[in-house]
Amino acid sequence: MGWAIALHGGAGDIPLSLSLDRRQPREETLRRCLQIGVQALKEQKPPLDVVELVVRELENCPHFNAGRGSVLTTNGTVEMEASIMDGKKRCGAVSGLTTVVNAISLARLVMEKTPHIYLAFDGAEAFAREQGVETTDPSYFITPQNIERLKQAKEANSVQIDYTQPSPQATVQETEIGNGDSQIGTVGCVAVDNHGNLAAATSTGGLVNKMVGRIGDTPLIGAGTYANHLCAVSATGKGEAIIRGTVARDVAALMEFKDLSLEEAAACAVESVPKGNVGLIAVSASGDVAMPFNTTGMFRACATEDGYSEIAIWPSNMTE
């Protein structure tokens, strides 16, 4: 048994032709955030602290779809969401945030400071102000890149899209991903310490051109995030497909009830979702790591106490 950590910056149809100027800042951020997480684990910080710390850093990076880099709704606004959970099944979640700089930290406060699990929209914003967390003007989150991405999405779809329908959604993604940017670039982190304590955290801005009020898998415990005494999981991809598949919970259930290894359970959970829809990162209580996906690529990184580390985008059998 040893510590292990994994993080992701989103799964999607990431082309092998992704330009260096779009790829490099994300790889550098993954590398830096991995180092931050590894150092925290070496200092014996609790996994819950570690995953929150790493996801905060990812939220502060404009190159990923969370926090600063959150994509825009059909109204040109941001609605951020996040969840966090530990191996004792303590959890917290938030949705519909428009001013909170680090959604993941508010999710943790919901877990620790309220009798509830999930707060959303005006109630979540009011709770943030009550707790004194850092907030800012919504314009902070609206980057030129995401204004352009919304424009492209709207041009590809002249009518309002129901995002529970896969076919029109694909039209948006093909247009947007043509620029080499996955619009489903949720961020997440999972970690385990030397004692088998586990935690998972996930944060996102959602889908480009999503309907106002749409909620994805990220804040839903058991879909985008899950942890118990066996493993910790953070998923990424098309939220509606992940919700239908209860992807994160399935990994834990397959380990618990079918006695599968982490690698087997994670692969099985991903394979059960239609191709092109999901990726996940997971660690087990014994320090194993799994990072399967059925999309073209997934921005991901991991490290274990025995010295193994990896930073990758595409499958290992594809040239990077």
Side-chain angles (χ1 to χ4, degrees):
M1 185 183 290
W3 59 258
I5 185 172
L7 51 147
H8 69 73
D13 188 11
I14 305 166
L16 284 167
S17 58
L18 185 66
S19 63
L20 195 62
D21 65 321
R22 294 182 183 275
R23 169 182 165 182
Q24 200 167 25
R26 290 167 172 151
E27 288 180 317
E28 287 172 356
T29 300
L30 287 177
R31 185 173 289 107
R32 179 173 59 82
C33 290
L34 182 64
Q35 289 169 349
I36 288 169
V38 166
Q39 186 59 38
L41 284 168
K42 285 180 175 177
E43 292 171 0
Q44 300 189 340
K45 290 187 177 175
L48 198 64
D49 291 353
V50 175
V51 297
E52 180 189 6
L53 177 67
V54 169
V55 170
R56 281 177 63 94
E57 287 294 320
L58 290 165
E59 287 174 336
N60 293 340
C61 171
H63 302 293
F64 293 114
N65 175 17
R68 177 83 171 94
S70 292
V71 297
L72 306 181
T73 69
T74 188
N75 285 1
T77 56
V78 293
E79 290 183 354
M80 299 167 286
E81 48 196 25
S83 66
I84 193 166
M85 189 170 188
D86 70 13
K88 296 175 182 174
K89 297 187 181 178
R90 298 188 306 156
C91 50
V94 288
S95 282
L97 301 181
T98 58
T99 70
V100 176
V101 173
N102 294 111
I104 197 63
S105 293
L106 190 64
R108 183 168 180 180
L109 286 169
V110 172
M111 178 183 82
E112 294 181 338
K113 304 289 188 182
T114 81
H116 308 305
I117 289 173
Y118 195 166
L119 292 180
F121 298 93
D122 290 350
E125 286 282 338
F127 177 66
R129 292 191 292 273
E130 177 189 304
Q131 292 296 313
V133 303
E134 186 181 359
T135 58
T136 189
D137 188 86
S139 61
Y140 164 81
F141 304 100
I142 300 173
T143 65
Q145 294 91 335
N146 283 331
I147 292 171
E148 179 61 25
R149 292 164 82 179
L150 177 62
K151 179 172 172 282
Q152 290 172 357
K154 283 181 176 290
E155 285 172 356
N157 297 271
S158 57
V159 296
Q160 177 63 58
I161 297 168
D162 177 356
Y163 276 102
T164 62
Q165 302 299 315
S167 49
Q169 186 178 339
T171 308
V172 180
Q173 287 165 0
E174 285 161 12
T175 303
E176 204 275 324
I177 289 165
N179 283 339
D181 282 315
S182 169
Q183 68 170 34
I184 42 183
T186 301
V187 303
C189 181
V190 293
V192 61
D193 66 14
N194 287 303
H195 308 291
N197 297 308
L198 291 146
T202 316
S203 181
T204 191
L207 291 172
V208 175
N209 200 26
K210 67 181 179 181
M211 291 174 65
V212 171
R214 179 262 187 188
I215 292 170
D217 66 290
T218 294
L220 301 184
I221 301 302
T225 305
Y226 193 74
N228 67 1
H229 64 289
L230 295 172
C231 64
V233 185
S234 174
T236 174
K238 297 177 188 172
E240 284 71 18
I242 294 168
I243 293 167
R244 290 188 192 103
T246 58
V247 170
R249 169 60 184 155
D250 269 15
V251 177
L254 287 163
M255 291 181 71
E256 185 171 0
F257 302 122
K258 295 195 84 171
D259 202 28
L260 298 189
S261 68
L262 179 75
E263 187 174 2
E264 292 167 336
C268 187
V270 166
E271 287 164 11
S272 70
V273 175
K275 190 170 176 60
N277 282 281
V278 66
L280 66 82
I281 54 172
V283 292
S284 72
S286 55
D288 300 312
V289 177
M291 301 191 293
F293 52 95
N294 68 13
T295 53
T296 306
M298 179 171 74
F299 286 95
R300 63 197 188 277
C302 73
T304 59
E305 189 171 14
D306 63 12
Y308 178 78
S309 68
E310 176 185 355
I311 297 171
I313 304 172
W314 298 283
S316 54
N317 61 350
M318 295 175 77
T319 303
E320 293 188 25

